[in-house]
Amino acid sequence: MDDDQSPSTERPAPRPGRRRRISPERRSRRTVWRVVLITQLCLALLTAGTVAVAYDRLDSGLDVQDIEDQLMDRPEKKEVEGPQEPLNILVLGTDDRGCEGCGIDGEAGGGGSDTTLLIHVSADRKEAYGVSLPRDALVTRPDCMAEDGSTIPGAELAMFNTAFAEGGAACTVQTLEQLTGVLIDHYVTVDFNGFVDMVDAVGGVEVCLPKEVADPKTKIYLDAGTQVLDGEDALKYVRERSVLSANSDIGRMKRQQAFIASMVNKVVSAGTLTRPDRVYSFLKAATGSLTLDAELDSLGSLADLALQFRQTGLSDIKFISVPFEAYEPDPNRLVWTDEADKLWTRIKRDKPLSSTLKEGSINAADPVGGTATPSASPSEAPDEPSTGATKEPQAPTEEEQAEALANGLCA
C-alpha cells in the first residue's frame, strides 16, 4: 500500500449463511405489534359490517311520501347571500290515537296534528329558530289536492290543524305556503307511537315543573322542580293540556317548545352522539315513527342534513310561537296578528328574529332554567334584529312568572 493511499472503510461482506441475531425482547415486541394490528383490522372489518347491516336495516324502515305533485301555486324562494340556501322544515306531530296512552287528554281522534313547528335554518347554518303554530288558530284554508288528484275544498275560519285531518301533510304544506308565502323545503311527520322509545334512547329528557302534579285521571305523577322524564312520562308531558298548564293549548305548545329544546340540548351536549348504542336505539325508534318527504328518503340524506347543523350553537337555537291573539267571537279560538306578517317576511329574507319576536323565546342552551328572553330595550326598534350586545341576566317579573306558571313552566 502506498503511503498516500487511505485504508478502505468499507465493511467486509458477511460470510455466506450468517444471519443477524434478534434479541428475544425485540422479537416479542414485533409479535405484540403484529397481533395488535391484526386485531385492529379484524375489529374494523367487524364494526364496518355491523354498521352496514344496522344501516340497511334502519334505512329500510323509513316511510317516505312524495307530495310534490299535490302542491299547487308554490311561492318562489327569495335569493339570499350565504354559502348555502336557507332551509324551512315543517315538523308535524300526528294526533293519532293508535298508540296506548296517546289520548290521555280525552281529545277526539281524527288523525289531525296538534303539534306543528316550522323550523328556519339560516343560509350560513349558524342560527335556527322554530315557530310553533297553534292548532286552534282560525285561518283561511285553501283548496288542496288529494292523493288521487281530487280537490279538497278550502274553508274560511277553519282551525289550522284541520288541514292535516282533511289532506295530510300535503294540505298542511299547501295551507302554510299560501298563508305565509314561505316555501317549505322539507317536511317530517312524527308519530307518537315511537316517541316513547326515542326519549328512552337518549336516556330521558330534563324538564322543570313549577309545582307537583298528581292526577289519577290522567295518571300523571310528577314532582316539582327539575327532573328527567322517561319516555312514558315525557309523552304525557307533551300531550296533556289541562292538568299541567292552565293555558290549555297555549301552555301545551310552550311545554312542547321547552321539551324539544331540552332534547336538542341533551343530544348535542350530553355525549349522546358518542354513544353508538344510544344513537342506534334513537335511530331505530325514529325510523319507525317518521314520515319524510322524497328528498329525505334515506339515513344518508338525514345524516347530510344533520351535519349542516354542526356550526349551529345551542344558544343560537330558539323556539317561539307565531304572534297570535284570542278570536273575539270565541275566546277558545285564536287568530294570527299583524306581527305574524313581519315574522314571515324575516323568514323569507333569511333574517334573524327581531328583539320583539324573541321575547319569551325558549333557548336550547338553557331550556329548563331560562325560558324567557329579556325584553328589548327602548332604544331598539321593535321590528329590527338585536344589536348582539350582551345583556345582564334579569330576574323574571311578576307578570313573566305568572305566565310561566300558567304554561306549566319554571320561570
Side-chain angles (χ1 to χ4, degrees):
M1 177 185 301
D2 295 336
D3 293 340
D4 59 346
Q5 189 175 12
S6 301
S8 174
T9 58
E10 294 181 0
R11 295 181 180 180
R15 285 177 294 178
R18 185 177 181 182
R19 301 176 61 186
R20 295 180 61 190
R21 293 187 60 190
I22 300 176
S23 66
E25 292 82 4
R26 189 170 183 180
R27 183 180 295 110
S28 177
R29 287 198 299 270
R30 283 188 175 183
T31 303
V32 169
W33 279 112
R34 187 178 295 112
V35 171
V36 169
L37 289 174
I38 293 174
T39 302
Q40 292 280 18
L41 179 60
C42 291
L43 286 174
L45 292 174
L46 179 61
T47 302
T50 303
V51 170
V53 171
Y55 181 93
D56 289 340
R57 186 179 301 169
L58 295 177
D59 210 37
S60 62
L62 284 173
D63 187 5
V64 178
Q65 183 180 15
D66 189 355
I67 63 173
E68 188 71 25
D69 292 341
Q70 295 177 248
L71 302 178
M72 305 172 289
D73 301 324
R74 307 197 70 185
E76 294 184 359
K77 198 164 191 176
K78 183 180 179 63
E79 292 186 6
V80 298
E81 294 183 0
Q84 303 181 71
E85 286 190 350
L87 290 176
N88 299 312
I89 306 169
L90 187 63
V91 180
L92 302 166
T94 59
D95 190 15
D96 183 3
R97 295 299 186 264
C99 62
E100 182 180 354
C102 288
I104 59 173
D105 53 12
E107 293 177 349
S113 172
D114 63 5
T115 304
T116 305
L117 188 70
L118 175 60
I119 300 176
H120 175 75
V121 186
S122 63
D124 60 10
R125 301 300 187 261
K126 293 183 179 180
E127 183 178 20
Y129 50 86
V131 182
S132 292
L133 304 172
R135 67 191 293 273
D136 290 340
L138 300 179
V139 299
T140 299
R141 193 183 71 233
D143 291 346
C144 296
M145 182 184 295
E147 290 187 46
D148 60 4
S150 61
T151 299
I152 301 172
E156 298 285 341
L157 294 177
M159 285 175 54
F160 180 80
N161 75 328
T162 61
F164 192 91
E166 295 289 337
C171 192
T172 305
V173 171
Q174 177 80 19
T175 299
L176 191 59
E177 288 187 342
Q178 293 297 311
L179 292 174
T180 66
V182 173
L183 181 70
I184 305 301
D185 298 288
H186 301 291
Y187 85 88
V188 179
T189 300
V190 184
D191 186 347
F192 284 125
N193 281 288
F195 180 85
V196 172
D197 293 335
M198 291 170 66
V199 174
D200 287 338
V202 297
V205 175
E206 190 176 65
V207 302
C208 183
L209 272 70
K211 60 181 181 180
E212 180 185 5
V213 177
D215 185 67
K217 182 178 179 181
T218 56
K219 298 180 181 180
I220 297 178
Y221 301 93
L222 299 174
D223 297 327
T226 301
Q227 58 204 283
V228 176
L229 301 186
D230 62 13
E232 291 187 4
D233 283 336
L235 179 61
K236 297 173 183 177
Y237 178 83
V238 300
R239 286 291 298 116
E240 205 283 325
R241 62 171 184 167
S242 60
V243 175
L244 292 172
S245 56
N247 281 349
S248 188
D249 278 320
I250 298 174
R252 177 169 64 177
M253 186 169 59
K254 296 299 292 185
R255 280 187 283 109
Q256 289 173 349
Q257 292 176 11
F259 187 88
I260 295 172
S262 186
M263 193 169 191
V264 171
N265 186 297
K266 178 68 174 287
V267 171
V268 173
S269 64
T272 300
L273 296 178
T274 64
R275 290 278 304 271
D277 57 332
R278 287 188 174 180
V279 172
Y280 179 81
S281 298
F282 182 81
L283 289 176
K284 182 179 179 181
T287 54
S289 60
L290 298 180
T291 300
L292 308 162
D293 64 73
E295 293 186 13
L296 298 177
D297 59 353
S298 67
L299 285 181
S301 300
L302 286 175
D304 291 341
L305 179 62
L307 286 175
Q308 295 183 33
F309 289 85
R310 62 186 181 274
Q311 296 182 354
T312 310
L314 286 174
S315 60
D316 298 315
I317 302 175
K318 295 180 174 61
F319 295 88
I320 66 169
S321 301
V322 61
F324 61 83
E325 62 186 9
Y327 178 58
E328 288 188 3
D330 184 355
N332 293 319
R333 297 290 179 261
L334 307 170
V335 290
W336 299 352
T337 68
D338 293 338
E339 289 296 316
D341 294 333
K342 297 179 181 179
L343 173 60
W344 310 137
T345 298
R346 300 198 77 85
I347 291 177
K348 286 183 285 187
R349 295 178 179 176
D350 191 31
K351 299 295 183 182
L353 294 172
S354 66
S355 299
T356 301
L357 290 169
K358 282 193 293 188
E359 289 182 16
S361 64
I362 293 176
N363 193 318
D366 189 14
V368 175
T371 58
T373 298
S375 302
S377 63
S379 61
E380 290 179 330
D383 59 349
E384 290 299 318
S386 172
T387 59
T390 302
K391 297 183 179 181
E392 292 295 329
Q394 300 178 5
T397 64
E398 291 185 4
E399 182 180 354
E400 290 171 339
Q401 291 180 11
E403 182 179 0
L405 180 61
N407 291 330
L409 297 172
C410 296

